[in-house]
Amino acid sequence: MSIRHGLLALLDQGPRYGYQLRTEFEARTGATWPLNVGQVYTTLARLERDGLVVPAGEDDEGHQFYAVTDAGRAELHAWFDSPVPRTNPPRDELAIKLAMAVTVPGVDVPAVVQSQRRHSIKALQDYTRLKGRALAGEGRPTATGGTAATDDGTGADLAWLLVLEQLIFQTEAEVRWLDHCETRLAQRAEIEQARAAENRQNDPAPAPAPRRIGRRRTTA
C-alpha cells in the first residue's frame, strides 16, 4: 500500500492538513487500511524532505496545511501511468506460514489449511455482504465503525466498491489456493505411503533362527 502516493493524490485536489488527509484516505478505501495521524504526518515530513509537498499556511485553529509541488505532481502522474511492479511481491503471511509448516516436524499441516479455509470463507461472506450493501446504496464503513453517506460527489463510493471487489477476488483466489495446497498434501502423503510399501517389499525378510539339534536324553 502506497500511503505516500495516496496522500499526493489527495493533495493534488488542494491543500489539506493531516487529519483531513487521514479522513479522506479512509473514505476512499472504506477504512480497509486505516491510518493514524502519526503515519500521515510522518509521511508528510518525508514528502516535504523530498520536495514533493510544501507547507501552505495554517487555519485559525492552528492546523498546518500542505500543498503538492510540481515535482510531487509529476511523481503522482508517473505513479498513475506505471503498472504496480510484481518483481518484489509483498510478503504474504499465509504463504510463509504454510511454507514453514511443511518443513517443521510435528505440525498438522492439513489442520492449518482447514483452519485458514474456514476463516477465509467467513471473510469472503462478509465482503460479499458489504458489496451487496454498497450496491444497495447503504453507504460505506468508516474507521469508527459507522457508515458514511453515499453519493457525496467525490467518487468515494465507487472507490470503496473497487477496493471491496479486489478483496473479494483476492479471497476467492486464496480459497482456491488452499484447495490446491490440500491436494498437494494428499498427493505427497500417497507418494510417501507408496515408498514405504515398496521399501517393505524390497527389504529381505529376517532369516529364521537356526534350530538347535542335540542328543535326546534318555533315562535309565
Side-chain angles (χ1 to χ4, degrees), residues 206-214:
R211 295 180 59 187
R212 187 171 180 181
I213 301 175

Side-chain angles (χ1 to χ4, degrees), residues 51-189:
L52 304 180
V53 304
V54 292
E58 299 181 357
D59 62 11
D60 294 338
E61 297 179 1
H63 296 127
Q64 175 66 64
F65 283 76
Y66 290 84
V68 66
T69 64
D70 289 341
R73 192 168 287 110
E75 174 157 331
L76 175 63
H77 292 169
W79 182 58
F80 282 134
D81 291 340
S82 304
V84 176
R86 306 299 297 177
T87 52
N88 294 306
R91 292 183 181 90
D92 186 291
E93 183 178 353
L94 177 56
I96 294 171
K97 178 189 284 189
L98 289 182
M100 295 297 109
V102 298
T103 59
V104 175
V107 177
D108 188 346
V109 186
V112 174
V113 173
Q114 287 292 339
S115 175
Q116 184 65 43
R117 179 189 282 108
R118 288 192 296 269
H119 175 81
S120 299
I121 290 175
K122 173 63 167 56
L124 182 58
Q125 292 169 343
D126 292 341
Y127 293 147
T128 303
R129 192 178 306 111
L130 285 172
K131 179 181 177 181
R133 291 173 55 186
L135 292 174
E138 296 181 17
R140 58 189 181 277
T142 64
T144 58
T147 302
T150 60
D151 195 19
D152 56 6
T154 65
D157 290 334
L158 177 58
W160 161 233
L161 186 60
L162 293 176
V163 168
L164 189 54
E165 288 175 334
Q166 192 269 350
L167 293 172
I168 289 173
F169 295 149
Q170 188 178 61
T171 309
E172 287 175 339
E174 182 173 284
V175 172
R176 291 197 301 272
W177 179 67
L178 289 168
D179 291 341
H180 173 74
C181 290
E182 193 169 49
T183 300
R184 285 287 194 197
L185 292 170
Q187 291 173 341
R188 189 181 71 168

